[in-house]
Amino acid sequence: MFRAGIFGICLLFIALSLSKGANAQPSGRSDGYQIVHAYPHDPDAFTQGLVYVDGHLYESTGRNGKSSIRMVDLSTGRVLQHYDLASKYFGEGLTSWGSDLVQLTWKAELAFVYDRFTLAWKHTFHYEGEGWGLTHDDKQLILSDGTPILRFFDPISFSETKRISVTDEHGHPLSDINELEYIRGEIYANVWHTDQIVRISPRTGKVLGRIDLSGLVIKDQPSDPEAVLNGIAYDAEGDRLFVTGKLWPKLFEIKVVHQGHQLSNTAAKSNSRPRH
């Protein structure tokens, strides 16, 4: 009986270990992508937040004097409605909550809440520190500030409820976490000034995997050094994933290719992007 008990415990330990890593990629590997469709995107939009909800695309743009919140026609890239922020504010991350939209600011420590249908300003929340990216799960808003810390907030009172520390595949803190999107129980995040999207566990903060979007926009001419990948939106009903960047002329619907290629394998990166 004693041996049987030990054997049972070993089986349980193995099962728990396998389930714990079921969604994680092997260390040092990354998924690729395939372009499903390319849409026009305002090349003057300094994209800081992107949301797709109930058939509508919403975008937060940044830079002082150019910050706004806007409803955009996906197929044409045309701005259907917009609300411009005062020039003292630098717009940042964006998410939806019910019939509202919540937009962060970079250094003003303020979040603006708007009516999702009219973009009319409703009220303002205060938070400490910088605001970078914003998303939500079923119960809380999730905020990034460029550090390895993700903070969770009550969507009604905007009081902080918890925080997690994001660590990479080697257990090291991961900084420069930017735009966020909550997708099928995971937090997808742009990493500032990289072509990477990381998948983060909202429970542990561990990086579960990466999507390498190298080559999505061909940089064949000098441009603004801040024209980097930033902007993730997910159409839950249609199971569509959209990505774009700051000052990019295109917004892409992509399909993640789970090929697990080595990050250094440039051939695998290029093969995952069909001619378009």
Side-chain angles (χ1 to χ4, degrees):
M1 181 179 293
F2 179 71
R3 290 180 179 177
I6 293 177
F7 181 71
I9 292 173
C10 290
L11 288 177
L12 178 61
F13 177 79
I14 292 171
L16 289 173
S17 298
L18 289 173
S19 64
K20 185 177 180 180
N23 294 325
Q25 291 172 335
S27 178
R29 295 184 180 272
S30 170
D31 288 331
Y33 66 92
Q34 182 178 19
I35 295 176
V36 177
H37 199 94
Y39 299 95
H41 181 252
D42 180 2
D44 292 324
F46 197 75
T47 306
Q48 299 289 69
L50 201 65
V51 175
Y52 189 94
V53 58
D54 292 340
H56 297 290
L57 181 69
Y58 299 94
E59 184 173 16
S60 170
T61 65
R63 288 188 163 167
N64 296 97
K66 293 187 176 181
S67 293
S68 69
I69 183 171
R70 47 178 71 178
M71 179 193 290
V72 180
D73 181 77
L74 175 63
S75 60
T76 66
R78 186 167 64 92
V79 177
L80 303 176
Q81 297 183 54
H82 68 95
Y83 179 93
D84 296 330
L85 276 64
S87 59
K88 63 180 178 179
Y89 297 122
F90 191 119
E92 283 284 349
L94 178 72
T95 196
S96 62
W97 184 262
S99 61
D100 293 338
L101 293 170
V102 184
Q103 180 187 34
L104 301 179
T105 55
W106 181 22
K107 295 184 176 181
E109 300 187 329
L110 295 175
F112 301 125
V113 180
Y114 308 88
D115 179 270
R116 182 157 58 86
F117 305 101
T118 65
L119 299 190
W121 174 85
K122 295 177 68 174
H123 54 97
T124 301
F125 284 115
H126 170 78
Y127 57 91
E128 294 185 358
E130 295 185 0
W132 284 40
L134 188 67
T135 189
H136 69 87
D137 59 16
D138 293 337
K139 298 180 180 179
Q140 302 166 98
L141 303 179
I142 306 169
L143 179 150
S144 68
D145 57 12
T147 73
I149 302 299
L150 293 180
R151 292 182 283 165
F152 292 69
F153 291 83
D154 181 278
I156 306 302
S157 66
F158 221 74
S159 58
E160 185 176 333
T161 57
K162 74 168 187 176
R163 56 178 61 191
I164 59 173
S165 180
V166 179
T167 53
D168 66 16
E169 298 86 345
H170 305 289
H172 301 141
L174 181 64
S175 298
D176 293 332
I177 299 169
N178 208 351
E179 224 271 296
L180 306 175
E181 184 76 3
Y182 191 82
I183 302 176
R184 295 189 295 271
E186 299 176 352
I187 302 169
Y188 283 46
N190 290 123
V191 181
W192 188 45
H193 276 273
T194 77
D195 292 321
Q196 298 279 319
I197 289 177
V198 292
R199 297 169 32 236
I200 302 167
S201 166
R203 184 178 63 85
T204 65
K206 292 182 178 179
V207 170
L208 303 173
R210 296 174 183 256
I211 306 168
D212 186 0
L213 299 183
S214 299
L216 188 59
V217 168
I218 306 301
K219 301 178 178 64
D220 56 358
Q221 57 185 2
S223 62
D224 191 310
E226 291 301 321
V228 295
L229 177 72
N230 201 47
I232 311 168
Y234 180 61
D235 171 15
E237 292 185 6
D239 191 26
R240 296 185 295 171
L241 179 62
F242 303 104
V243 296
T244 191
K246 304 175 183 182
L247 309 175
W248 282 19
K250 297 288 184 181
L251 179 147
F252 300 94
E253 178 189 346
I254 64 168
K255 178 181 179 180
V256 177
V257 178
H258 301 291
Q259 55 190 16
H261 64 267
Q262 291 289 346
L263 290 178
S264 60
N265 190 340
T266 55
K269 294 176 187 175
S270 61
N271 288 339
S272 67
R273 183 184 189 274
R275 295 185 182 274
H276 190 86

